Amino acid sequence: PISHEMHYETLRRVEMLIASRFPALPAKRRRDGAIVGAAIVKGLMRLSEPPDSLPPEQVLQEIKTTVLAYLRHMLVEANIALPADLE
């Protein structure tokens, strides 16, 4: 189905972004990180809908905070030096 194709293409692109910035992160961890990151985004996007109805800009900030914290965790777990923007 088309929705599955879009999902896998999104994961592939996120995985490529992670690889371009953190090539030392093992391929399996990059893939898992892309899957979990996409799930985080999907889950938190719902906060802009009832019953929570948070403002979209707040939801985006919460997504950014959560995804960056998860990325930081992945790097620390893999003993990869954190870039300045994740310290």
Side-chain angles (χ1 to χ4, degrees):
I2 191 79
S3 63
H4 287 235
E5 290 175 27
M6 289 174 53
H7 175 75
Y8 292 125
E9 179 62 19
T10 299
L11 293 180
R12 186 185 71 76
R13 289 181 184 206
V14 170
E15 189 176 351
M16 287 175 48
L17 286 170
I18 294 169
S20 71
R21 184 133 185 233
F22 306 105
L25 198 60
K28 172 136 176 44
R29 194 64 182 111
R30 291 192 305 258
R31 178 73 177 161
D32 291 349
I35 292 168
V36 172
I40 289 169
V41 172
K42 283 181 188 178
L44 292 181
M45 286 297 291
R46 294 183 181 127
L47 293 173
S48 64
E49 301 169 359
D52 300 304
S53 302
L54 294 177
E57 55 279 352
Q58 181 181 354
V59 173
L60 290 176
Q61 185 58 50
E62 298 297 345
I63 289 170
K64 181 179 177 181
T65 299
T66 305
V67 169
L68 289 176
Y70 179 66
L71 177 59
R72 184 181 190 285
H73 165 76
M74 286 180 7
L75 297 173
V76 168
E77 184 179 68
N79 292 317
I80 296 173
L82 296 176
D85 60 337
L86 290 179
E87 287 184 345

